[in-house]
Amino acid sequence: MLTPVVLSGAVSSFDLLAWSSPGWGATLVAGLWNTCLIAFGAYALGLLIGVAGAFGKLYGGPVTRDFLGVYTTLVRAVPELVLLLIMNFAVRDLINQAMLAMGYGRVELSGVAIGIIILGVVQGAYSTEVLRGAILSVPAGQIEAARAMGMSPTLLARRITLPLMAAAAVPGLANLWLTVTKDTALLSVLGFIELTKATSLAAQTTKAFFTFYLAAGVLYLALSLVSVVIFGRIERWARKGQRTLEGGAH
Amino acid sequence: MLEFFRPLHRQVLAVIAVLTIWACAHYLNWDWLTQYRGEIISGIWITIWMTIASMVLGMVLATMLGLAQAAGPRWLALPARTYCTIIRGTPLLLQLYLLYYGLGWYFSGQPEIRQSIFWPILKAAPPYGLLALTLSVAGYEGEVMRGAFKGVPHGQLEAARAMGVPRFTAFRRIWLPQALHRALPTIGGETVLQMKSTPLLAMITIMDLYGVLNRVRRDTLLTYEPLLLLALIYMILAGLLVLFFRWLENRLPQRTA
């Protein structure tokens, strides 16, 4: 796939972006696919951590709360690039030590899997804060009423808190999704082949820097514009049944 | 402070934290610190200056972008909005590469530029880094300033007009200060984000804090020590920024009614 192009003045920008040699279209699209895969996985993992973290921060014991406080503060105070670098080493070390301790051999996780884990842990801290804010926006009376009806905490979360907080959480979560798609670019620094890395390879080989970086920019932009539309739909769905300022329901 | 450590679990956590720090200091290899001290300090300065310079220049641009969107005619508002969308929709790393490699490659191919007196500046990486950071922060803050300009009560501007205040004076004395006041908490948060994105400068060979410690990592073959120091210094810088903005916000007159 990474066939170097013999440079000649005759190769135009459009030829370079063609699907196969001398074009790099397939490489870029493969990079975009990896970017989407990592972004989606990390976002989902971040949401899982975020839900657990938000409930832990609000309803957990004192030790849980302090640990989560340290986690969210640390992650949000250190640059993502530095965190990703530290965790890139730490996660590989930890997994291998765990595997050796359990009597298995060393494993080499794929770049996508590592990327999802380390970006997901970073995202988790931000998700925790967004979701915590959203849970706090649920009127206390609703939760008290559910408790008074004898609902168990899980049922309460599933039936009352999560549906009611969704509307307040969507804008923040949409922002986080846009952040994570752009943060995947940082993984290129660690050598993962995603869109930015694929683009850099193409650009450095052909010296057509403007062509490739602008093409990648268009792909990232398209991804974010499509996401904005989708999140707009999700928000409208989440606000279903909420009263508007005019008084009527949507 | 004492109240904070009153619960027993906090005391246990504090002991664990102190033990961890002691173990890090004792068991890890910190011999390289003395050798690289000068470079680390110069790296910290580059990080701080890049943050401040890009924030100040970016805010000037952002004010214009915000004003164009909040009050400008369509032919100004539309390009400003498009600009903000493009900047916010693409990764900073990509913008950095585009400017440094793209523009750099283009300039180096132009004999007129190579022979001009500007070439020594255009050849170095820092101007491209500063440009990319400035353009990026302008895109993000442009949105913030648009909201801030729109948030200033219309009566304030109508009162100024009724008093016969010239348009530019009204902007300088009434609209802009109130918009900045409103945006200040957001700007504080964004400054921390901006500081946290400066490590990307190392990708275009600028020796900021991250670049220096990355070199230490390559030279000494240590994995964790330089990275831990890096995280610690960035945490301290972020903390100082937060304290500075808290101080700034407290100094400004608060709304009382």
Side-chain angles (χ1 to χ4, degrees):
Chain A
M1 201 158 58
L2 303 177
T3 42
V5 182
V6 181
L7 262 185
S8 67
V11 183
S12 79
S13 300
F14 289 104
D15 289 335
L16 286 174
L17 292 174
W19 185 255
S20 54
S21 191
W24 291 72
T27 315
L28 294 198
V29 170
L32 179 64
W33 173 243
N34 267 354
T35 288
C36 292
L37 216 58
I38 297 175
F40 195 78
Y43 188 65
L45 179 60
L47 270 185
L48 277 181
I49 298 176
V51 171
F55 277 102
K57 251 192 167 179
L58 288 172
Y59 306 112
V63 182
T64 319
R65 269 190 229 187
D66 278 5
F67 266 114
L68 288 169
V70 170
Y71 162 61
T72 52
T73 312
L74 273 188
V75 168
R76 294 187 308 159
V78 178
E80 280 80 3
L81 186 59
V82 178
L83 282 174
L84 295 180
L85 214 53
I86 294 179
M87 282 198 288
N88 187 30
F89 293 115
V91 167
R92 282 173 207 269
D93 274 1
L94 280 179
I95 288 177
N96 274 328
Q97 270 170 17
M99 292 297 279
L100 288 178
M102 288 188 295
Y104 299 104
R106 298 176 76 84
V107 284
E108 201 47 53
L109 280 177
S110 75
V112 171
I114 290 273
I116 287 175
I117 296 173
I118 60 185
L119 256 186
V121 172
V122 173
Q123 277 283 308
Y126 290 90
S127 302
T128 301
E129 292 300 314
V130 167
L131 293 172
R132 193 179 68 102
I135 292 176
L136 285 176
S137 78
V138 175
Q142 303 268 0
I143 294 173
E144 282 162 12
R147 283 210 190 113
M149 303 279 283
M151 275 195 192
S152 70
T154 39
L155 190 66
L156 191 156
R158 195 160 57 84
R159 287 248 182 99
I160 312 290
T161 316
L162 289 175
L164 282 176
M165 69 184 248
V170 171
L173 293 180
N175 262 338
L176 281 183
W177 166 253
L178 295 179
T179 314
V180 77
T181 52
K182 285 180 286 171
D183 274 357
T184 51
L186 298 177
L187 294 174
S188 71
V189 175
L190 310 185
F192 297 154
I193 309 277
E194 40 64 73
L195 183 52
T196 300
K197 185 78 185 173
T199 311
S200 290
L201 284 175
Q204 301 284 358
T205 313
T206 59
K207 301 293 177 204
F209 294 104
F210 277 124
T211 309
F212 282 114
Y213 286 128
L214 287 177
V218 168
L219 290 179
Y220 275 114
L221 197 60
L223 182 59
S224 95
L225 291 178
V226 170
S227 310
V228 168
V229 172
I230 293 175
F231 271 103
R233 290 245 172 107
I234 295 178
E235 184 171 356
R236 228 176 308 145
W237 170 80
R239 289 198 186 283
K240 204 168 46 173
Q242 226 179 37
R243 261 173 282 165
T244 59
L245 284 177
E246 290 83 43
H250 265 296
Chain B
M1 196 65 192
L2 265 179
E3 203 51 46
F4 182 81
F5 287 108
R6 187 65 46 86
L8 182 67
H9 77 277
R10 285 243 169 86
Q11 293 168 19
V12 176
L13 286 181
V15 169
I16 293 174
V18 168
L19 279 179
T20 316
I21 292 170
W22 179 83
C24 281
H26 195 260
Y27 290 109
L28 296 179
N29 180 2
W30 300 101
D31 299 338
W32 45 274
L33 268 181
T34 46
Q35 192 192 335
Y36 288 98
R37 199 179 52 199
E39 286 164 62
I40 292 173
I41 290 171
S42 88
I44 294 178
W45 276 117
I46 291 180
T47 293
I48 292 175
W49 278 114
M50 278 291 186
T51 310
I52 295 175
S54 64
M55 244 359 249
V56 171
L57 294 175
M59 277 310 295
V60 174
L61 268 180
T63 308
M64 293 191 258
L65 285 167
L67 198 62
Q69 290 182 77
R74 266 180 73 94
W75 56 270
L76 267 180
L78 196 68
R81 241 190 94 184
T82 314
Y83 174 80
C84 288
T85 309
I86 291 176
I87 290 290
R88 283 150 41 100
T90 51
L92 175 57
L93 188 60
L94 198 75
Q95 298 162 11
L96 205 57
Y97 284 157
L98 177 68
L99 285 176
Y100 180 62
Y101 292 116
L103 268 188
W105 179 258
Y106 174 75
F107 283 153
S108 67
Q110 309 287 316
E112 311 87 83
I113 290 176
R114 284 191 80 110
Q115 273 136 36
S116 74
I117 48 167
F118 301 113
W119 181 238
I121 304 172
L122 292 175
K123 202 172 56 174
Y128 296 98
L130 185 59
L131 180 65
L133 284 183
T134 304
L135 292 180
S136 152
V137 87
Y140 285 90
E141 298 322 287
E143 284 291 306
V144 174
M145 288 311 288
R146 178 183 65 98
F149 276 126
K150 281 195 164 169
V152 174
H154 218 249
Q156 298 274 346
L157 299 173
E158 281 162 13
R161 200 172 304 154
M163 302 277 286
V165 180
R167 273 180 66 163
F168 185 70
T169 314
F171 170 73
R172 193 168 53 88
R173 300 277 299 269
I174 297 163
W175 208 6
L176 182 63
Q178 291 194 40
L180 282 177
H181 192 178
R182 270 159 195 278
L184 192 60
T186 320
I187 294 172
E190 297 274 341
T191 309
V192 176
L193 289 182
Q194 180 74 357
M195 195 270 293
K196 286 185 356 181
S197 57
T198 53
L200 292 180
L201 292 174
M203 300 310 131
I204 59 166
T205 70
I206 297 174
M207 280 312 233
D208 73 326
L209 180 58
Y210 177 87
V212 169
L213 283 165
N214 218 17
R215 230 195 70 203
V216 173
R217 226 155 52 85
R218 266 204 315 272
D219 290 354
T220 59
L221 299 179
L222 293 168
T223 309
Y224 290 109
E225 289 87 342
L227 287 175
L228 287 177
L229 182 70
L230 199 53
L232 180 71
I233 297 177
Y234 276 117
M235 264 190 302
I236 294 171
L237 289 179
L240 288 177
L241 271 178
V242 170
L243 287 180
F244 169 74
F245 274 95
R246 197 174 292 165
W247 171 81
L248 198 62
E249 271 171 56
N250 285 336
R251 263 179 53 113
L252 290 176
Q254 291 297 313
R255 223 191 121 114
T256 46

